Amino acid sequence: MSLTFAADQDLRPYNTFGLSARAAHFCRLEDLSDLPALLAHPLYRQGPVLWLGGGSNLLLTRDYPGLVILVSLEGIRLLSEAGGDVIVEAAAGENWHGFVQYALSQGWCGLENLSLIPGTVGASPVQNIGAYGVEVKDRLHEVVCADLSAGGAQTILSNADCRFGYRDSVFKHEAAGKLLVTAVRFRLSRQAQLRTGYGDIARQLETMGVAEPTPLDIAQAVIAIRQSKLPDPAVLGNAGSFFKNPVISADQAAALLARHPALPHYPAADGQVKLAAGWLIDQCGLKGYRDGDAGVHDKQALVLVNHGQASGEQLHALSRKVRETVAARFGVELEPEPLIL
Ligand code: EPU
């Protein structure tokens, strides 16, 4: 394989908001053996550089003046198996949902609650994707990285090295721009240990008439829930939850709950409390709100959508309006989840 560079590339197919920003230069990394040449290339050295996976966590508000590199590394392999535990490695460019389905088809359980999350395997540890009671950190063994400051030399991070938090990891901090995730190793199991505690899942299984669920049933339940609430990016541009659920102090939570007893809340690390941002936005009357083609999804207020021709700037302005409205009403600051460029 060799690298080919395109100039003035439309990024619309490469971001799930469906925004038409252009990249001054663009290339795909399909073979890891091309990485040293890429890192030495004048377009890379000149910068700026944006590494892109599925583009499902990105809001492009303008053209990109540098080099966009699409990480298209592929491959899934079983590394070891002992006593029902399997270690499986998936390359960074693999589609996340495709990988989850493949794992289930092999009898490797543990990722079923994370079905249908958009994006790639390589992005999964960066924001520690999570849904329905499971986060990727709960199943992650190691992350294989390329050290961009050392010619792409391989370096392996353990689960602890990744310093996972809620939608957070070392890849958003010290390792940002320094380590490129090239593959992720998961610890899965042939013996199902199901997480069905999340209210929506229990209800959905009941609707499906399933009393003793298998991992495939859980996957089907999660897919049905997500399809009922979350827009399909292929139909309606979006980047999943646009905001993180805010984590606030126990004192602030107690004061808020005294005024709003119905506010959904969950215990978080260090005695803090996590609030449902979707509920806060919904209570402000913004669910289904629309400013031109930039909108708040009508079934889940945490998701901003592009009804067709919205620009990145319009979506950004809408996100500011949502933040300001929630801050004024509840005194809670919402933090955007996607990378805003
Ligand atoms: N709610 C409302 N109105 C809304 C949205 C939510 O009242 O418009 C209420 C719900 O009724 C529920 C609570 O808020 O009581 C929580 O809602 P939900 O179960 O839909 O989950 P969420 O907290 O809004 C998080 C993740 C999702 C993940 C779900 C399920 C974040 C930022 N989002 O959403 O992840 O699928 O839990 O586990 O943590 C994503 O990150 O892109 C994403 C979709």
Side-chain angles (χ1 to χ4, degrees), residues 146-208:
D147 186 338
L148 300 174
S149 57
Q154 178 177 292
T155 166
I156 294 182
L157 270 60
S158 70
N159 186 308
D161 292 338
C162 295
R163 286 194 260 121
F164 289 118
Y166 166 60
R167 294 293 191 276
D168 199 28
S169 75
V170 72
F171 301 106
K172 285 189 170 183
H173 303 284
E174 293 92 318
K178 298 195 179 79
L179 294 182
L180 170 70
V181 175
T182 59
V184 184
R185 295 175 178 164
F186 298 89
R187 184 185 296 279
L188 304 177
S189 174
R190 290 198 180 272
Q191 279 112 40
Q193 287 171 345
L194 303 180
R195 296 253 183 111
T196 57
Y198 205 92
D200 279 352
I201 292 197
R203 275 191 294 278
Q204 182 61 32
L205 288 170
E206 215 177 296
T207 308
M208 289 160 52

Side-chain angles (χ1 to χ4, degrees), residues 203-272:
R203 275 191 294 278
Q204 182 61 32
L205 288 170
E206 215 177 296
T207 308
M208 289 160 52
V210 176
E212 283 174 39
T214 64
L216 277 174
D217 293 325
I218 304 284
Q220 285 312 315
V222 167
I223 288 169
I225 300 165
R226 292 189 73 98
Q227 285 177 336
S228 73
K229 284 192 185 179
L230 298 168
D232 176 355
V235 179
L236 192 60
N238 73 91
S241 300
F242 195 88
F243 300 99
K244 294 187 202 178
N245 281 329
V247 177
I248 63 173
S249 72
D251 287 350
Q252 195 189 353
L256 265 176
L257 282 162
R259 277 187 285 139
H260 310 282
L263 167 54
H265 60 286
Y266 321 92
D270 307 321
Q272 293 183 298

Side-chain angles (χ1 to χ4, degrees), residues 57 117-118 127 129-133 166-167 198 200 226 229-230 239-245 264 266 274-283 287 297-303 337:
N57 204 42
I117 295 182
Q127 55 163 333
I129 58 170
Y132 306 106
Y166 166 60
R167 294 293 191 276
Y198 205 92
D200 279 352
R226 292 189 73 98
K229 284 192 185 179
L230 298 168
S241 300
F242 195 88
F243 300 99
K244 294 187 202 178
N245 281 329
Y266 321 92
K274 187 155 84 176
L275 307 178
W279 188 92
L280 298 171
I281 300 166
D282 197 349
Q283 290 295 306
K287 195 176 189 165
H297 189 46
D298 59 0
K299 297 194 185 76
Q300 160 57 288
L302 206 41
V303 178
E337 203 184 3

Side-chain angles (χ1 to χ4, degrees), residues 103-124:
L104 285 170
S105 75
Q106 300 300 304
W108 305 333
C109 310
L111 297 173
E112 48 279 356
N113 296 50
L114 303 178
S115 295
L116 212 61
I117 295 182
T120 56
V121 166
S124 68

